[in-house]
Each structure stands twice: as structure tokens, then as C-alpha cells.
Amino acid sequence: MKKSLLRVAAPFLLLAVAAHSGAAQIQPELNQAGTRTDDSTRVQLIQPLDSLGTAIDSARLVWLQTPPELRDLVGDRVSCLDTDMPHVFNGTVMSFVNYFTLRNRSYTQRILERQNLYFPLFEKYLAKYHLPQDLKYLAVVESALLPTARSRVGAVGLWQFMGPTGRDMRLLQNEYIDERMNPEKSTEAACKYLRDLYRMFGDWELVMAAYNWGGGNVQRAIKRTGKRTFWELYPHLPKETRNYVPTFTAAMYTLQYAKEHGLHNDSLRYQYPEATDTLLISGRSLDLRKLSAQFGLDSAALARYNPEIRKTYLPETVRDYKLTIPACVRTEMALLDRNTVLDFCKVVLPPPRPITPLVPGLPPADSAATAVAAAEKAAADKPKYRRVRHSVRRGESVADVAARYDVSQAQILRWNKLRRGKALIPKQQLVVFVPVETTDTAAPVVAVRKATVPTKLPLPGEKAAKEAAEKEVASAKPAKSTPAVEVSSTAEPAPAEVEKTVAAAPSRAARNSREREAPTEPKVAHEATDDSLPAEYTVRKGDNLSRLARERGVTVAQLMTWNSLETEAVLPGQKLLFRAPTEEEAAAAKTVARRTPAPPATRTEPLPAPKVHLVQPGDTLYNISRRYQGITVEQLRKLNHLKSDEVKPGQKLLVQG
């Protein structure tokens, strides 16, 4: 009797335990991706790409909530997939199928829009390296088919290469070009990488796990556990890697059965490959905006064809770069000379400063010449840069420090002997060299006539037609009423513009004569300052130069120059100017300084130097000795009875005897 009751109650007890465990799991809120823009190839995903595998944690709960008929239908379809890749259907795969087909349909539809654009490229290189064609769905899991996608850990491109891995695969990465975002080169590099991983493991599920977690990590996990398959290693893998293979299976199923789930509709903007040409750029700069305007392209068109270009121009240092351009400009490119077009689209820089002629050095004839030579030598010996010490704040990077002092990141790294890519430590001391603003007489300004550059190069037949139209307009007007109008030969205006110019010439001449007759008034130079903010500010408790400069839209170096500050330290009650003082203000300040008696000695007394220093992360005996004047590294060792130069954060050191 008891055994029969136990057999009847056992299924109900198991069902209650499963429901309780499923209800106890909390399903995280998913950020719905799919923000629409005119150009969907450059959309930045709202949801981090590398968190897709961790988005669904309640696989058991989703499995219980899914109708049995739908589970059986999806399971049959997955088992019937014609693919060389292994695929297992379970609750985790079903939860991701629900995510792609029900919970975030707009995210899947954005992928369907780009599917026809990139899948033919993937299939070409997968066939070249004899890899399974279904590996193309790996890019869907990695980047949602966005060539400019960037994850929170720094992986970039369709195949989400990290910087070191991309360099190992010979993908160029510099300030101007990042080939991890080049669809063709990154796809070929991904095929080579997947081929090497398959030679290492011989199992496609382990290859995908190694692509996500790293081949070395998977090898160490196999050596540590003795397991040889993905599902045997499943409990020993990170959470994201465990969900990586089920996500791949769900993405492959969803895109193959998108029509059955109603994901296709007429509102989707499907993208397809276009016919393109290449333009070889080597040893000359190129302004991409000028090139787009020359051929009547959209300003972002070249960026879509060349997503690996990180700026709007290419420098002269680029060698043998193949710029992708649409084939629609082939006719106009054939009519114009290639060198003419590239010279027209050069990056325009300001003209160089004229060279001041050197006076031959003759021996001085009198004392006046000697004094002048000595003054010139003293001016030449003055330092052109001053040394500034910067204390790193929490969350500050090398790029932030470089932008603050208007220098490059490479200079910051070179001056402080830092390693590229290493994070800065809070309260770390950095040395920055900023230029010293001099008040010497500037070199004479030479008037340089700016050459008039047409906005677009005319075609060979257009110039003759414009000249004939100008002659017809000139002959149609009577000779008496046609004033002499000077037309620039470089601008080449259209006939309609010539008529407007001729008609407006008399009124313009009359206006110019009235302006010459009117008395000239002195012009007041207005500086671009914000009148809503006071020009003078009294320092309060807790203020610092960095925050004040950021609020006023100026730099710290400008504040220090305008207020004659030697350091960045400010005291409560101190007066600060937020603009350059005028000559009247400077003269008034000097007069007030002469009339005002010197303040009491108690107010100008410097603060006593500390006797004890608390060691911070990144401190060394050399940095500490530089911070306190009059003490050396040897003295610090003797004062604190140190046997070596090693110090630890939190250690207290005597800095005065």
C-alpha cells in the first residue's frame, strides 16, 4: 500500500520541486536592441555584443513555459538541419530561440537586413579554406553583422578580434586604419584562425568555445579535467562560453526558419552587395569629404564602403592602400585625370610660417651691439617648455591627460616611460611638458594670397560651354550700362551667376563709394567670451583649477598663464581671471600693486612642509624625493632606516630630519 502511494505521489513531488526551482530564478530585463537609423551598417548596439550569451539565465523556466507542441516542432526542425556543424537541442537552445523569435524580434530583423550583404562574402572565404559554410552564423553571434561593432572589452569588427589577436593575423591597426573593421580582410583572418583552432582541437564545438574563451584556456581546462568534448567540459566553462554554442545553434535555426516565424516583412530595408572599384592611394594625402563632393556622393558613402578608415582623411604616410569606391563614378573618373583628382582632394593645411632671414654674426663694434647680442642670447636660452606635474585621478586615462594639456598620447607615454595599454593608477605622478607663452615680438606677417579652389573639378566639355554662355550674356547687354566686372578665372561661375553679378555691380559700386565717404570709426575687438560668467572669480573651499577650467571652457594652462601661477594649487579667497588681461587691466594691476602696502608676514607665510609622507600606489623613493625639495633618495634611506628602495602603499616615511 505504501509503495503504491509513493509511486502515485512521486511525479507530483518532482513537478513541484521543478516548478519551485524554476520560479526561484530571476530572469534579467533585456535591453531591446534595434534602433533604426538611415545607415544600419554603422549602428552601435545598445546591448553589449559579448553579453548576448549571458542574456538568458532561466533556460529551465523558459522550457517549462513553452508549449510542448512548439518545443517538439523546433526540436524536429533543429534535428533536420542540413549542416556539417554539430547541433544539440535542449532547454538552453530553446530559450535563445524564444529570444530571437519572440522577445527581441527587432534585433533579429536588423540582422536579416544585413544578411544578404555579408553572407556571400563569408561563403566565398569559407569555401576557399575548406571550412563548413554554417560557420557564417558565428559572425551573427559575435557582432550582429555590424562591421564597426565594438564590445566593452575592446573586440572590434564583424568577427570581434581583440587587438593582439588581430595583429597576430596581420590586420593593420594604427591611428588612421583598423583592418579589423574591413569586412573582407577580417573574414579571411577569421577563416585562418578557425582553421588553426580546428587543427588544434579537431572538434567544432570546442573550436567555437575556444574562439570565445581562447584556445589556451580551453586547453588548460581539458588538461585539468581530462574531458575531451564540449558537453563534458560544460560545467567547467565560464557562463558566457557555456551559452556560446547554444546561441550559435539558435541563431542558425532562426535565420533558416525566419519566414516561418514571420520575421520578414515589407518594412525591412534589405541591403545587397554593390558593384565597386578600387583606387590605389600611396604617398599622398586624401580628403575623403572632398572626394565624395567631387563625385556627388553622400558624405558617409565612402565610410560605408571603407569602414576601416577611422578619420575623414588619409595621411601621406599611407602606402599601397586600396580605397573602395562605387562603380557609378567610373565614367567621371575616366574623363578626369587620376593625378588631377588626387591633387584636388589633398588635405589642405595652413601655409607654413615664413622663415626670418638670419643676420650674419659680426663682431660687436660698440657696447650697444654687445648688449643687443647678449639680450638675444638670453632670449634664445630661455626654456620653450615648462615642466608640469600631474596627479592621476580615479578613472583617468592617458587620453584624458593628453586632451587636458593639448599634447599627444605618445608624448605622455614617452615622457613617463609608460607601456601602451596599461591603465593608470590613482594618485600616480605624471610629467607633462607644456609650451611657455612668450611675449616676444612675433615675426613679421607676410600677406599670402589664398588660392581660389573650385568646389568641384569641371569636366573637359563644361568649360567651353560656360565660356560661350558668358560671351552671349556680355554681347546681349548694351556697352554703356555694362560696367567692368572682374571675373576670377578659377571660380568659373555659371551663366546665371554672371547675369546676377553684372546686375548687382552698379549697386555694389555705389555702396562702396558711400562706405568710403562715411567717417571711419575705430573698431573694438570683441573676444568670444561668455558675458553670463564673471571675468573674475574668488576661489572657494574645495575648488581646484581643473574643475574651474572645465566649467568655463578654458584649459588649465591658460588659467595658470593669465593668473601668473607657478603650480595648480589655489587657496580660498584667491582671485582668478578667466580671460587674458587687457593692457589697461595689466597697467591698473601694476599701479595697484605699487600703491598697496605689502600684506602682513603672517598671511604670506608658506604652509609648513609635512614631516611624514604616506606612500601611495605607484610611489617610489625617487618620486618622493622630487616631491619634497632639499631631500635626496640617500637621505630618505637614512631617515627611515631602509635597506632597499622598495616601499609599500600605506607606509609612512620621514621626509624631514
Side-chain angles (χ1 to χ4, degrees):
M1 183 67 179
K2 291 182 180 180
K3 291 183 179 179
S4 60
L5 289 175
L6 184 60
R7 281 196 295 269
V8 172
F12 295 99
L13 292 175
L14 291 175
L15 182 62
V17 170
H20 182 269
S21 62
Q25 296 177 353
I26 299 175
Q27 198 167 11
E29 295 183 2
L30 295 179
N31 196 352
Q32 299 292 334
T35 304
R36 293 303 301 266
T37 62
D38 294 336
D39 181 13
S40 61
T41 61
R42 301 187 69 83
V43 173
Q44 181 65 34
L45 286 184
I46 300 175
Q47 178 180 351
L49 298 175
D50 52 0
S51 66
L52 183 60
T54 62
I56 303 175
D57 296 329
S58 309
R60 177 69 177 173
L61 180 61
V62 173
W63 179 268
L64 294 174
Q65 292 176 347
T66 305
E69 297 82 4
L70 180 59
R71 291 202 306 260
D72 295 341
L73 178 62
V74 174
D76 291 341
R77 288 175 176 174
V78 170
S79 62
C80 294
L81 287 176
D82 186 13
T83 173
D84 297 331
M85 302 295 298
H87 47 278
V88 176
F89 180 72
N90 51 29
T92 307
V93 175
M94 188 65 211
S95 63
F96 281 106
V97 170
N98 282 342
Y99 176 80
F100 287 127
T101 59
L102 297 176
R103 302 172 59 189
N104 206 347
R105 293 171 61 88
S106 60
Y107 176 83
T108 309
Q109 288 173 339
R110 299 294 82 74
I111 297 174
L112 292 173
E113 288 179 339
R114 298 182 285 270
Q115 175 182 0
N116 297 323
L117 179 62
Y118 293 110
F119 274 14
L121 176 66
F122 298 162
E123 292 167 358
K124 180 181 76 171
Y125 281 101
L126 288 171
K128 177 181 177 181
Y129 289 94
H130 307 288
L131 298 175
Q133 290 291 314
D134 289 325
L135 282 176
K136 61 189 176 184
Y137 298 105
L138 200 63
V140 176
V141 180
E142 287 289 342
S143 63
L145 301 183
L146 288 174
T148 57
R150 184 181 298 272
S151 72
R152 64 188 178 196
V153 295
V156 175
L158 286 168
W159 299 91
Q160 291 292 285
F161 277 110
M162 296 293 290
T165 308
R167 283 186 283 271
D168 292 342
M169 303 308 297
R170 302 296 189 268
L171 295 177
L172 178 64
Q173 301 172 50
N174 56 34
E175 185 180 355
Y176 304 97
I177 298 174
D178 190 347
E179 290 184 346
R180 292 179 295 172
M181 293 185 284
N182 184 295
E184 193 155 350
K185 292 185 178 181
S186 64
T187 300
E188 186 170 10
C191 291
K192 293 179 181 178
Y193 188 53
L194 290 169
R195 180 191 61 185
D196 295 341
L197 290 177
Y198 186 74
R199 290 173 179 174
M200 185 184 303
F201 296 103
D203 182 88
W204 284 115
E205 290 180 332
L206 289 179
V207 166
M208 287 188 285
Y211 193 90
N212 176 257
W213 193 27
N217 292 329
V218 174
Q219 281 184 327
R220 283 188 288 271
I222 292 175
K223 186 176 180 180
R224 184 175 63 252
T225 60
K227 309 297 183 181
R228 294 291 178 179
T229 64
F230 173 79
W231 295 107
E232 290 177 346
L233 284 173
Y234 188 86
H236 308 282
L237 298 176
K239 188 176 183 180
E240 181 182 344
T241 307
R242 288 202 302 265
N243 290 332
Y244 194 75
V245 174
T247 307
F248 174 83
T249 304
M252 181 169 57
Y253 164 80
T254 302
L255 294 186
Q256 292 193 16
Y257 288 93
K259 185 177 180 181
E260 285 75 4
H261 288 276
L263 292 170
H264 290 284
N265 57 57
D266 297 335
S267 63
L268 299 185
R269 303 177 183 178
Y270 296 101
Q271 300 175 17
Y272 298 92
E274 300 178 13
T276 58
D277 284 341
T278 56
L279 183 63
L280 187 64
I281 307 298
S282 182
R284 64 173 77 203
S285 61
L286 179 66
D287 192 332
L288 300 180
R289 292 172 296 186
K290 279 188 178 181
L291 189 63
S292 300
Q294 170 64 29
F295 295 113
L297 300 175
D298 181 19
S299 59
L302 290 179
R304 290 196 300 270
Y305 291 112
N306 304 273
E308 69 274 10
I309 300 179
R310 304 177 63 183
K311 297 184 180 293
T312 58
Y313 66 93
L314 294 174
E316 294 182 355
T317 55
V318 171
R319 293 290 182 272
D320 299 330
Y321 176 75
K322 295 180 180 179
L323 181 72
T324 303
I325 57 176
C328 60
V329 304
R330 184 182 304 165
T331 304
E332 189 172 351
M333 194 72 183
L335 294 175
L336 296 171
D337 181 50
R338 177 181 178 277
N339 291 328
T340 304
V341 174
L342 294 180
D343 290 339
F344 172 74
C345 296
K346 273 187 177 181
V347 178
V348 179
L349 298 176
R353 188 173 179 179
I355 300 175
T356 306
L358 297 177
V359 180
L362 299 176
D366 52 5
S367 58
T370 305
V372 171
E376 291 179 355
K377 184 178 180 182
D381 293 341
K382 285 184 179 179
K384 297 181 181 179
Y385 295 89
R386 61 185 181 89
R387 182 192 186 106
V388 176
R389 188 174 295 277
H390 175 79
S391 181
V392 178
R393 300 178 183 175
R394 185 179 298 277
E396 201 169 27
S397 64
V398 176
D400 298 334
V401 178
R404 176 177 178 180
Y405 293 98
D406 197 16
V407 296
S408 66
Q409 300 183 34
Q411 289 175 320
I412 297 289
L413 298 175
R414 185 173 67 253
W415 291 336
N416 297 275
K417 298 181 180 179
L418 300 177
R419 191 172 59 190
R420 185 179 296 275
K422 185 177 181 182
L424 298 179
I425 303 173
K427 296 186 180 180
Q428 182 179 355
Q429 300 298 315
L430 299 181
V431 175
V432 184
F433 293 93
V434 298
V436 176
E437 296 185 5
T438 59
T439 57
D440 298 339
T441 304
V445 180
V446 178
V448 180
R449 184 178 178 182
K450 186 177 181 180
T452 305
V453 180
T455 57
K456 182 177 178 181
L457 288 175
L459 295 176
E462 294 180 0
K463 188 173 182 181
K466 290 181 180 179
E467 291 179 354
E470 291 175 10
K471 291 180 180 179
E472 290 180 5
V473 172
S475 60
K477 296 292 181 178
K480 294 182 180 180
S481 60
T482 305
V485 180
E486 182 182 356
V487 181
S488 175
S489 60
T490 56
E492 295 185 5
E497 297 177 356
V498 173
E499 292 179 4
K500 294 180 182 179
T501 306
V502 174
S507 60
R508 190 182 300 113
R511 185 168 63 253
N512 293 339
S513 63
R514 288 196 300 270
E515 290 176 357
R516 286 194 297 269
E517 293 173 1
T520 59
E521 297 179 0
K523 295 182 180 180
V524 181
H526 296 281
E527 296 185 5
T529 58
D530 190 358
D531 296 336
S532 62
L533 296 174
E536 188 176 81
Y537 176 77
T538 303
V539 178
R540 301 176 183 174
K541 186 176 181 180
D543 284 347
N544 57 73
L545 279 187
S546 301
R547 184 171 63 82
L548 295 176
R550 187 170 58 253
E551 292 176 352
R552 267 70 179 181
V554 297
T555 62
V556 177
Q558 286 176 326
L559 282 181
M560 296 179 67
T561 304
W562 294 341
N563 296 276
S564 302
L565 300 177
E566 296 181 355
T567 63
E568 296 185 14
V570 291
L571 299 175
Q574 184 177 352
K575 303 287 186 180
L576 293 180
L577 287 175
F578 288 104
R579 57 176 174 79
T582 60
E583 295 181 1
E584 293 79 1
E585 290 176 345
K590 292 180 180 178
T591 305
V592 172
R594 286 197 299 268
R595 294 180 181 176
T596 305
T602 56
R603 296 185 180 179
T604 58
E605 246 182 34
L607 294 175
K611 295 185 178 181
V612 178
H613 173 78
L614 183 63
V615 177
Q616 303 295 329
D619 279 354
T620 63
L621 287 184
Y622 175 75
N623 291 342
I624 297 171
S625 66
R626 296 295 300 273
R627 199 173 304 170
Y628 300 97
Q629 300 295 331
I631 191 167
T632 62
V633 176
E634 188 64 30
Q635 291 175 345
L636 282 175
R637 287 201 208 97
K638 291 181 179 179
L639 283 173
N640 297 277
H641 305 289
L642 299 176
K643 296 181 180 180
S644 65
D645 292 350
E646 183 180 359
V647 291
K648 298 180 180 179
Q651 183 178 354
K652 294 182 179 180
L653 298 179
L654 291 175
V655 294
Q656 286 188 4

